[in-house]
């Protein structure tokens, strides 16, 4: 006979809470700030680490109808959730097989090069987006190639470009805006799109017909203009596995980088750098339980971190604590970017 325990599922010791109300509210805020343009959403990299299959339905609910992923494989994993043509693959058809697959599924490719334009045509073509490089020199058709004949054969829905430094007061913004307007005059298209999250705050000239926020949807604040308008969305939480009392002179964790100066109560949580809680939080991070702050002691390990429970005598084994993860503050404290803080969050979190 099977032991009864075999039929039970193991419990999660890490969970990532996603505040769907905040996510919906952030999209609506960014849509409103986009003025006459509609907001889409960047949901690449598994919805910035939160889980694309979690964020896409919530964003759809809020009113979003255009979703940008990077890889074709990311679009595949969303096909049962939204209309295929609303999925835009930023990397475009990297191979002929990609082009054929996008044609067959009805997913919209973003064409980034003349080679990709040829590939899409060979696969049968149809509506696509077109990325123009207005100064980033990363991915997209160079301005000098916009007159090429093959581009005239494309049915361009959204004419895109991407800002290199929208979160800064950089002269590049105006230069890219001018080139994007030039591109709009050359290439036949239905809609035009330039702004990411920070680009939305640059004003109506940058809005076109569609904006593409990512970071700010998920609680990131890329520029002062969005301060106070964006709500926190993700809350990483971990369970306390063990509690111990240590004495003055006792070290904690690898390499004994923390040594207690007085008797204290410490707890070990099931969160480590393999989960995206990187070693930069060693001796620096803070967990919270209610309104109590529980500082990280010593080095963050791969699967564990030790925290100070001295000021939380009622908190013990089996209780949950939450990493201080308000993105602008966490970025300032850790030296990681707000983008990294989100996309690092690992697969052991139950989402
Ligand atoms: C990631 C990305 C976005 C979203 O940028 P945020 O800074 O996260 O708002 C928009 N457009 C393109 C092309 C992107 O790659």
């Amino acid at each position: 006979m099977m032991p009864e325990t075999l039929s039970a599922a193991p419990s999660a010791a890490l969970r990532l809470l996603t505040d769907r109300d905040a996510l919906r509210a952030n999209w609506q805020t960014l849509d409103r700030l986009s003025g006459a343009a509609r907001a889409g959403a960047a949901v690449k990299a598994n919805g910035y680490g939160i889980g694309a299959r979690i964020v896409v339905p919530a964003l759809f609910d809020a009113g979003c109808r255009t979703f940008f992923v990077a890889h074709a494989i990311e679009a595949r994993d969303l096909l049962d959730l939204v209309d295929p043509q609303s999925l835009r693959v930023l990397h475009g058809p990297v191979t002929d097989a990609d082009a054929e697959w996008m044609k067959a599924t009805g997913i919209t490719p973003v064409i980034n090069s003349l080679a990709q334009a040829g590939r899409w045509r060979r696969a049968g073509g149809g509506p696509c987006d077109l990325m123009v490089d207005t100064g980033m020199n990363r991915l997209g058709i160079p301005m000098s190639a916009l007159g090429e004949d093959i581009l005239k054969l494309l049915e361009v829905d959204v004419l895109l470009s991407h800002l290199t430094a929208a979160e800064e007061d950089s002269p590049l913004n105006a230069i890219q805006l001018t080139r994007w307007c030039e591109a709009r005059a050359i290439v036949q298209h239905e809609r035009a799109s330039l702004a990411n999250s920070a680009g939305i705050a640059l004003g109506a000239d940058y809005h076109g017909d569609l904006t593409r926020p990512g970071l700010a949807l998920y609680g990131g604040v890329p520029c002062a203009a969005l301060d106070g308008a964006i709500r926190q969305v993700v809350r990483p939480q971990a369970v306390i596995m063990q509690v111990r009392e240590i004495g003055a002179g006792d070290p904690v964790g690898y390499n004994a980088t923390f040594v207690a100066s007085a008797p204290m109560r410490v707890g070990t949580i099931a969160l480590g750098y393999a989960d995206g809680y990187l070693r930069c939080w060693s001796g620096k991070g803070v967990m919270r339980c209610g309104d109590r702050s529980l500082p990280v002691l010593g080095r963050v390990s791969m699967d564990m971190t030790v925290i100070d429970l001295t000021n939380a005598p009622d908190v013990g084994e089996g209780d949950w604590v939450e990493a201080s993860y308000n993105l602008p503050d966490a970025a300032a404290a850790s030296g990681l970017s707000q983008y990294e803080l989100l996309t690092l969050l690992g697969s052991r979190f139950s989402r």
Side-chain angles (χ1 to χ4, degrees), residues 314-330:
D314 56 310
V315 177
E317 289 171 18
D319 287 337
W320 288 81
V321 296
E322 178 171 312
S324 224
Y325 224 73
N326 165 33
L327 292 174
D329 297 342

Side-chain angles (χ1 to χ4, degrees), residues 47 61 123 168 183 192 212 254 282 334-335:
D61 227 29
E168 291 172 27
R212 310 186 305 272
Y254 279 120
S282 300
S334 65

Side-chain angles (χ1 to χ4, degrees), residues 85-100:
Q85 66 82 33
S86 70
L87 295 167
R88 313 280 156 143
V89 176
L90 287 164
H91 287 185
V94 177
T95 61
D96 285 336
D98 283 350
E100 284 157 22

Side-chain angles (χ1 to χ4, degrees), residues 73-138:
I73 278 178
E74 296 183 293
R76 180 196 63 193
D77 295 341
L78 297 168
L79 269 173
D80 59 324
L81 295 179
V82 288
D83 176 8
Q85 66 82 33
S86 70
L87 295 167
R88 313 280 156 143
V89 176
L90 287 164
H91 287 185
V94 177
T95 61
D96 285 336
D98 283 350
E100 284 157 22
W101 178 78
M102 290 177 198
K103 179 68 187 172
T105 53
I107 283 169
T108 310
V110 176
I111 301 301
N112 293 287
S113 65
L114 300 179
Q116 289 194 351
R119 227 168 257 148
W120 185 235
R121 292 273 306 158
R122 283 197 299 282
C128 61
D129 295 345
L130 188 73
M131 174 65 80
V132 180
D133 190 310
T134 54
M136 195 167 193
N137 291 308
R138 191 179 64 170

Side-chain angles (χ1 to χ4, degrees), residues 42 44 48 68 90 131 138 160-162 194-198 212-216 222 339:
K44 61 197 183 190
Y48 283 49
F68 293 91
L90 287 164
M131 174 65 80
R138 191 179 64 170
L160 307 163
S161 191
H162 191 51
L194 178 63
N196 62 347
S197 299
R212 310 186 305 272
L215 182 73
Y339 297 87

